[in-house]
């Protein structure tokens, strides 16, 4: 039997919650409704792996790169 923290990892649950933004971007190259609150949640998750990570929130290409990097960094945790 797995410990409770392995069964429910808030980091993985948050990533799964917003995965549709990543999937849409990969399929169509568009980012829709990826607001500042979502970005802040994902940034806090990214900083668990890379504490000094930051990106330019006013640069569309930088936001897209951030989205891809977050999901690439947690690929093994998501089972992708």
């Amino acid at each position: 039997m797995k410990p409770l923290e392995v069964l429910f990892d808030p980091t993985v649950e948050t990533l799964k919650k917003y995965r549709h933004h990543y999937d849409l971007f990969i399929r169509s190259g568009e980012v829709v409704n990826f607001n500042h609150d979502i970005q802040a949640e994902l940034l806090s998750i990214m900083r668990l792996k890379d504490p000094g990570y930051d990106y330019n929130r006013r640069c569309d290409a930088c936001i897209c790169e951030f989205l891809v990097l977050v999901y690439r960094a947690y690929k093994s945790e998501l089972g992708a």
Side-chain angles (χ1 to χ4, degrees), residues 6-80:
V6 173
L7 294 175
F8 181 76
D9 181 359
T11 300
V12 172
E13 293 303 314
T14 301
L15 288 166
K16 287 180 180 178
K17 182 169 131 182
Y18 299 123
R19 177 74 186 246
H20 63 279
H21 292 289
Y22 172 76
D23 292 338
L24 178 65
F25 177 69
I26 294 301
R27 278 194 320 267
S28 69
E30 294 183 26
V31 177
V32 179
N33 296 328
F34 190 55
N35 63 44
H36 294 287
D37 295 331
I38 296 169
Q39 291 178 42
E41 280 187 71
L42 292 179
L43 180 59
S44 66
I45 290 170
M46 184 63 171
R47 285 184 174 162
L48 294 174
K49 290 228 177 191
D50 183 0
Y53 182 81
D54 204 4
Y55 67 102
N56 183 347
R57 290 155 187 82
R58 295 179 186 210
C59 165
D60 292 338
C62 300
I63 292 170
C64 294
E65 180 184 34
F66 162 65
L67 181 59
V68 170
L69 288 175
V70 170
Y71 282 92
R72 188 177 298 155
Y74 284 91
K75 188 175 190 175
S76 64
E77 287 88 339
L78 291 168

